[in-house]
């Protein structure tokens, strides 16, 4: 089917495809970070378009905390099969079992921060020289500092003051042995752009993004889903609410939004009206004022 999409989405699509092709040209062993969330869904879809009719020339890589929503994992596997892509999965549980990380304990424990070690170990194991992520500059202040091509040192660390200039659409992927790059093809997209593009290209997405009834509880002003991974704190109680998720990462820190948006158009309308960033419900970003930047410096996505 031939789709007509708005001019600004066409420009964003062309920009992202150009970046993906630059990655394929400049790097020997790139990997596309894939979680099954909307941004990685779009990025994988763009990769399919960028290299059609050939298969996607690099594998997808998921760092699985073991605390994902079951709906996300089912969708991930179905989507990868639909794309005809190759998926590599590495597990935080393996890092815990190997003594590489120590699992947090208590009601507010989360494995989200532990992903960094698993990711860096996976990149070394796979000898990856580039990891593409779906981060966008509108998501969070630390991510707004990223270039399209974001250099990481031999320890996987990011120095925002030492990034390379990007003139027009020229990208510098030169690096020393042991270093690698993170590349963000969706840098200039917004959350609303992503949803408009999903609608225009009729891209499948997980049902978690639509309103549904779910057992939840409120913690520090954030609605969290009741799962086997979360221990209730004193004074917290379960109630059933109609919610949807704007991000669908680790269930222990991904907040739900009270919502009646039951269709894709409803989601677009709701996103157009909201004044809260999609990561406003991520409890892991609230552990300190610089939580995201600190994790990025350590090698986080």
């Amino acid at each position: 089917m031939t789709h007509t999409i708005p001019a600004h989405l066409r420009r964003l699509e062309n920009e992202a495809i150009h970046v993906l092709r630059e990655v394929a040209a400049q790097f020997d062993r790139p990997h596309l970070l894939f979680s099954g969330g909307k941004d990685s869904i779009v990025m994988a879809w763009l990769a399919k378009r960028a290299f059609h009719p050939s298969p996607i020339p690099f594998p997808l890589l998921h760092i699985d905390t073991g605390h994902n929503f079951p709906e996300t994992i089912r969708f991930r596997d179905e989507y990868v099969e639909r794309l005809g892509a190759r998926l590599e999965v590495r597990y935080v549980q393996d890092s815990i079992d190997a003594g590489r990380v120590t699992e947090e304990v208590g009601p507010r424990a989360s494995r989200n921060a532990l992903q960094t070690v698993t990711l860096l170990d996976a990149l070394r194991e796979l000898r990856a020289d580039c990891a593409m992520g779906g981060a966008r500059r509108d998501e969070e202040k630390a991510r707004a500092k990223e270039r399209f091509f974001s250099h990481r040192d031999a320890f996987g660390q990011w120095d925002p003051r030492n990034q390379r200039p990007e003139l027009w659409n020229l990208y510098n992927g030169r690096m020393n042995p042991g270093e690698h790059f993170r590349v963000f093809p969706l840098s200039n997209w917004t959350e609303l752009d992503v949803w408009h593009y999903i609608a225009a290209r009729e891209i499948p997405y997980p049902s978690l993004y639509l309103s549904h009834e779910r057992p939840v509880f409120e913690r520090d002003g954030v609605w969290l889903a009741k799962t086997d991974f979360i221990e209730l704190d004193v004074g917290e109680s379960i109630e059933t609410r109609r919610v949807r998720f704007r991000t669908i990462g680790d269930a222990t820190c991904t907040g739900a939004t009270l919502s009646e948006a039951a269709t894709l158009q409803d989601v677009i309308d709701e996103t157009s009206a909201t004044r809260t960033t999609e990561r406003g419900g991520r409890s892991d970003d609230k552990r300190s004022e610089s939580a995201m930047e600190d994790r990025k410096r350590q090698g986080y996505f």
Side-chain angles (χ1 to χ4, degrees):
M1 180 183 295
T2 301
H3 299 272
T4 301
I5 66 174
H8 84 282
L9 285 183
R10 179 76 69 178
R11 287 193 294 271
L12 290 171
E13 178 184 64
N14 289 339
E15 178 182 67
I17 286 174
H18 171 70
V19 172
L20 288 162
R21 289 172 176 167
E22 279 293 302
V23 166
Q26 293 197 39
F27 297 99
D28 294 324
R29 299 179 65 86
H31 288 67
L32 189 153
L33 299 176
F34 186 81
S35 65
K38 63 184 183 304
D39 301 310
S40 61
I41 290 167
V42 166
M43 194 163 56
W45 187 273
L46 288 163
K48 183 73 171 176
R49 289 182 66 84
F51 302 102
H52 181 78
S54 298
I56 298 174
F58 36 73
L60 279 53
L61 172 62
H62 183 208
I63 304 301
D64 188 344
T65 66
H67 290 172
N68 294 287
F69 294 101
E71 299 96 321
T72 303
I73 299 301
R74 285 196 298 270
F75 177 86
R76 178 199 71 184
D77 295 340
E78 292 168 359
Y79 190 72
V80 169
E81 183 177 1
R82 174 173 179 164
L83 292 178
R86 179 162 63 92
L87 176 67
E88 298 275 0
V89 183
R90 296 297 182 271
Y91 300 93
V92 170
Q93 184 63 55
D94 290 341
S95 298
I96 295 170
D97 293 343
R100 294 282 293 145
V101 294
T102 301
E103 185 156 25
E104 298 177 3
V105 297
R108 297 170 185 268
S110 175
R111 289 183 175 182
N112 198 54
L114 307 186
Q115 294 178 87
T116 298
V117 170
T118 309
L119 172 63
L120 293 175
D121 286 350
L123 295 179
R124 282 190 287 270
E125 174 205 341
L126 297 167
R127 295 185 290 117
D129 51 4
C130 172
M132 289 168 280
R136 310 183 321 270
R137 292 182 180 129
D138 74 317
E139 287 182 273
E140 201 274 341
K141 58 187 178 183
R143 288 182 167 174
K145 299 179 182 180
E146 291 277 18
R147 303 284 199 269
F148 278 97
F149 276 39
S150 184
H151 175 262
R152 297 298 198 269
D153 65 19
F155 300 99
Q157 297 175 329
W158 173 65
D159 182 357
R161 296 169 299 181
N162 194 33
Q163 294 195 81
R164 298 169 183 183
E166 290 183 344
L167 306 176
W168 302 286
N169 60 351
L170 302 176
Y171 305 113
N172 183 352
R174 294 181 181 177
M175 59 190 162
N176 295 316
E179 299 175 345
H180 72 276
F181 272 78
R182 306 290 173 86
V183 173
F184 304 103
L186 305 185
S187 289
N188 288 334
W189 297 52
T190 66
E191 182 185 10
L192 192 57
D193 291 330
V194 169
W195 283 121
H196 277 303
Y197 188 76
I198 286 172
R201 291 297 188 201
E202 299 181 359
I203 302 172
Y205 55 90
S207 60
L208 286 169
Y209 285 118
L210 301 179
S211 178
H212 57 285
E213 287 193 347
R214 197 177 200 96
V216 295
F217 64 96
E218 190 173 11
R219 173 178 291 172
D220 300 331
V222 174
W223 290 98
L224 293 172
K226 177 63 178 76
T227 68
D228 295 337
F229 321 128
I230 301 179
E231 177 185 338
L232 293 184
D233 211 342
V234 176
E236 295 175 340
S237 60
I238 302 296
E239 52 188 294
T240 299
R241 294 289 191 110
R242 288 198 65 83
V243 301
R244 73 177 190 89
F245 294 88
R246 294 175 68 186
T247 65
I248 54 174
D250 189 293
T252 62
C253 60
T254 301
T257 300
L258 300 179
S259 173
E260 296 293 330
T263 68
L264 179 53
Q265 186 58 53
D266 291 342
V267 169
I268 290 172
D269 293 341
E270 186 175 270
T271 303
S272 299
T274 189
R275 293 296 177 267
T276 304
T277 65
E278 66 201 275
R279 294 190 68 93
R282 291 293 296 255
S283 60
D284 54 325
D285 290 350
K286 298 180 180 181
R287 292 191 171 191
S288 73
E289 284 295 319
S290 60
M292 172 62 79
E293 184 155 337
D294 291 342
R295 281 181 288 145
K296 287 180 70 65
R297 288 178 186 274
Q298 295 163 5
Y300 187 74
F301 297 178

